Amino acid sequence: MTALGAGRARSRGLGIRVAENVLFAVGLPVLTVALWAVWSTRSTNRFLVGPATLLDAFRQTWIGPAFVDDVLPSLYRLLIGLFASILLGVAAGVVIGRFRPLREMLEPLLEFFRAIPPPVLIPVAMLLLGITDTMKVVVITSGAIWPILLNTIEGVRATDSVMTETAYSFRIARWDRLWRLILPAASPRIMTGVRQALSVALILMVISEMFASSAGLGYRIAYFQRNYLIAEMWSGILLLGLIGVVLAVVFGVVERRVLRWYHGMKEVTRG
């Protein structure tokens, strides 16, 4: 009976914790929407729309041909730019992080280009590449690559020196050292850089489509703003937020799988 009572107590405790987590996750958004609905009914500002109006505009605007014509191409360019940023950033970061003379030589150049806001490169990219999808992907890549590159460099530099010297002593092949020591050791920093690059890439996707474009999510939001279609404009912003949430959730799942060993080691250390 004692064991049965303890099991029931643990079940109740687990249920309470789950209920608390759900309440914390859902409570604030629900409260925010409720306050927004009340405020919109009392406000005379025509640029403030209510939740019901926004949801109706979202349904009419994005559930249909606009999703295929504008949203999917934008997501395609976003993903291509992200993958290019990850490949180039990790590859260059490993090389620069491994060789100190190269790192010291390139550091001023990297600091210079990192300080340039990527949106100002859009006119240059338009002149060199034209108003094409390639131009938009290049703009996304040029901004999203920096957090990945710099975090990879720091992660490679921070690789445990004892483990590195041990690998050299046992004459482990260079590629094995790269795949089994350097990249795993740098992976927490790399994933941090990728997380930062997600928001940068999403912002640059929108900005690149606002310049001399005739399609895309950024173009549609700018079009709605210029034509005073306020509810439709806010619906595009809502869609961008939902895309950001989905990207964050997908990244969280991938990060937990890639860094499973790292999180397990932290749990052991805390325990």
Side-chain angles (χ1 to χ4, degrees):
M1 293 296 292
T2 303
L4 181 59
R8 289 177 177 174
R10 284 195 297 269
S11 298
R12 286 195 298 269
L14 179 60
I16 292 173
R17 287 195 298 271
V18 171
E20 289 177 348
N21 292 334
V22 172
L23 181 62
F24 280 119
V26 178
L28 182 59
V30 170
L31 179 61
T32 303
V33 172
L35 293 175
W36 172 22
V38 173
W39 187 17
S40 63
T41 58
R42 296 177 177 273
S43 176
T44 58
N45 189 340
R46 64 185 300 267
F47 299 108
L48 179 65
V49 299
T53 304
L54 177 59
L55 291 177
D56 184 61
F58 185 93
R59 178 183 59 82
Q60 294 185 16
T61 303
W62 302 113
I63 300 178
F67 185 81
V68 177
D69 297 336
D70 295 310
V71 179
L72 290 183
S74 295
L75 292 178
Y76 172 77
R77 290 188 287 266
L78 172 66
L79 294 178
I80 294 296
L82 273 174
F83 286 135
S85 302
I86 294 171
L87 291 176
L88 295 175
V90 172
V94 168
V95 174
I96 297 172
R98 288 285 292 160
F99 300 102
R100 183 175 179 180
L102 179 62
R103 184 170 66 248
E104 293 177 349
M105 180 179 66
L106 292 179
E107 185 173 2
L109 191 63
L110 293 177
E111 292 295 331
F112 173 79
F113 282 109
R114 185 182 66 165
I116 299 176
V120 305
L121 299 176
I122 294 178
V124 178
M126 289 171 57
L127 291 174
L128 296 177
L129 301 173
I131 305 172
T132 61
D133 287 349
T134 302
M135 180 273 293
K136 296 166 187 172
V137 171
V138 168
V139 170
I140 294 171
T141 304
S142 66
I145 192 174
W146 292 108
I148 301 172
L149 173 63
L150 298 176
N151 277 280
T152 302
I153 293 173
E154 292 303 316
V156 171
R157 286 180 58 189
T159 303
D160 189 90
S161 59
V162 175
M163 297 180 66
T164 303
E165 292 173 1
T166 302
Y168 275 115
S169 300
F170 282 94
R171 300 183 181 277
I172 297 176
R174 180 176 300 177
W175 286 107
D176 287 336
R177 292 201 305 270
L178 174 64
W179 290 107
R180 299 179 183 275
L181 174 60
I182 297 172
L183 284 178
S187 57
R189 296 297 298 267
I190 294 173
M191 298 305 288
T192 299
V194 175
R195 179 182 291 277
Q196 296 170 353
L198 288 176
S199 58
V200 175
L202 187 59
I203 293 170
L204 291 175
M205 178 200 77
V206 176
I207 295 177
S208 66
E209 293 173 350
M210 289 182 172
F211 284 82
S213 181
S214 60
L217 187 51
Y219 163 77
R220 284 297 170 190
I221 293 176
Y223 173 83
F224 294 145
Q225 183 267 333
R226 288 193 297 266
N227 290 275
Y228 293 95
L229 300 172
I230 306 304
E232 288 77 6
M233 180 192 71
W234 282 110
S235 71
I237 296 173
L238 174 62
L239 180 58
L240 280 176
L242 294 176
I243 292 174
V245 171
V246 172
L247 287 175
V249 171
V250 172
F251 175 80
V253 173
V254 174
E255 182 186 35
R256 283 193 294 272
R257 293 184 65 87
V258 173
L259 299 181
R260 183 168 47 192
W261 63 271
Y262 177 72
H263 295 301
M265 185 176 63
K266 288 176 64 177
E267 291 292 336
V268 172
T269 303
R270 284 198 296 265

